[in-house]
Amino acid sequence: EYSLTPSSSLSLSAGWNNRSFNRTSDSKNHWYTDPFVKDSFYLENTASVDKVNRYNLNLDYQKNFDEKGHTLQASVYYASGDGNESEENIVKTTDSNYNLLGEEPARTRSRIGEPESNLRLELDYTRPIGEGELEAGLQSRYDNSDGDYVYENYGTATNEWIPNDSISNELKYRDALQSLYATYSGKLGKFEFQTGLRMEYDDRNLTQLTSSE
């Protein structure tokens, strides 16, 4: 924290988060329906890797005026980062005792990327008026997120991964929220009261790029 003047200060803080973990699982499965339509046994192996890398910055300003309780506060918060997840799934058909039947295993894999950023702007003003107090301020929030979802099936005939366009997708999310508020609280005889006004405007957009919706 840095003192700009005896009555005002500025502070800056930052954070960073980086993590990664792996998961593997093996399972025996019996899939059947009643009434009978399907009755199958198979072994399933799944391996996945998750990675997250994110940082944030926070800047705060505070001004104390001569009158007690008369203050001005401002803050800026920004965060950015991305998360990535990859997974591969292998399914092998068996008999009822889970012995392999010798068929080619079914292999699928997916990759998910989700970069995002967030910005927050806040301004708050407080001032005593008579026996009451006035509070006013504004807030702005901007959220951006891109999602890239890729799914593939392994083609045994060509020995290569084939994109599965029926479920692969790409999304873009944008949200801009603006708000303004003012409140006054005070006393009227033995009674305490508070009145206020708040206005908001939200511009939100979600775009599915695969189908341009």
Side-chain angles (χ1 to χ4, degrees):
E1 184 172 312
Y2 177 72
S3 295
L4 300 173
T5 68
S7 61
S8 63
S9 63
L10 190 68
S11 63
L12 176 66
S13 61
W16 178 56
N17 178 25
N18 183 276
R19 67 178 186 269
S20 176
F21 56 92
N22 302 336
R23 293 193 304 266
T24 59
S25 66
D26 292 285
S27 62
K28 294 179 179 179
N29 303 273
H30 180 202
W31 184 18
Y32 65 94
T33 59
D34 186 16
F36 174 80
V37 175
K38 186 177 183 67
D39 190 8
S40 62
F41 297 82
Y42 59 92
L43 301 175
E44 185 173 15
N45 170 264
T46 302
S48 63
V49 178
D50 293 314
K51 296 181 180 180
V52 174
N53 185 33
R54 186 173 177 83
Y55 71 90
N56 64 78
L57 299 171
N58 197 79
L59 181 65
D60 293 301
Y61 170 79
Q62 180 163 330
K63 167 70 175 178
N64 296 315
F65 297 93
D66 293 337
E67 185 180 11
K68 183 179 179 180
H70 188 188
T71 63
L72 176 67
Q73 294 178 311
S75 67
V76 180
Y77 173 84
Y78 179 75
S80 181
D82 58 66
N84 294 279
E85 178 181 347
S86 61
E87 181 177 286
E88 183 170 346
N89 183 267
I90 302 175
V91 175
K92 300 177 181 179
T93 305
T94 70
D95 60 22
S96 59
N97 295 315
Y98 295 100
N99 297 311
L100 296 176
L101 297 180
E103 300 177 2
E104 285 285 348
R107 298 173 61 188
T108 59
R109 71 180 184 184
S110 62
R111 300 190 308 277
I112 300 175
E114 295 179 315
E116 63 178 10
S117 63
N118 313 99
L119 176 64
R120 305 282 188 273
L121 305 173
E122 295 186 9
L123 182 66
D124 298 291
Y125 177 75
T126 304
R127 182 173 186 175
I129 298 179
E131 296 185 358
E133 184 179 72
L134 172 68
E135 295 180 87
L138 59 88
Q139 299 175 340
S140 294
R141 188 187 76 191
Y142 303 90
D143 296 323
N144 296 280
S145 177
D146 296 334
D148 190 18
Y149 309 92
V150 179
Y151 298 89
E152 298 173 308
N153 300 321
Y154 188 76
T156 56
T158 58
N159 292 323
E160 61 182 7
W161 289 99
I162 303 172
N164 186 341
D165 294 330
S166 64
I167 56 177
S168 296
N169 206 347
E170 186 175 356
L171 297 174
K172 287 186 177 294
Y173 175 75
R174 304 288 182 264
D175 187 16
L177 176 64
Q178 318 297 325
S179 61
L180 178 69
Y181 76 92
T183 63
Y184 178 77
S185 57
K187 291 183 178 181
L188 189 62
K190 297 182 179 180
F191 299 96
E192 295 183 355
F193 68 91
Q194 184 180 71
T195 183
L197 177 67
R198 181 181 179 90
M199 295 182 292
E200 287 190 357
Y201 174 76
D202 192 7
D203 181 13
R204 183 178 302 175
N205 183 268
L206 178 63
T207 304
Q208 182 176 322
L209 298 183
T210 302
S211 58
S212 300
E213 295 180 354

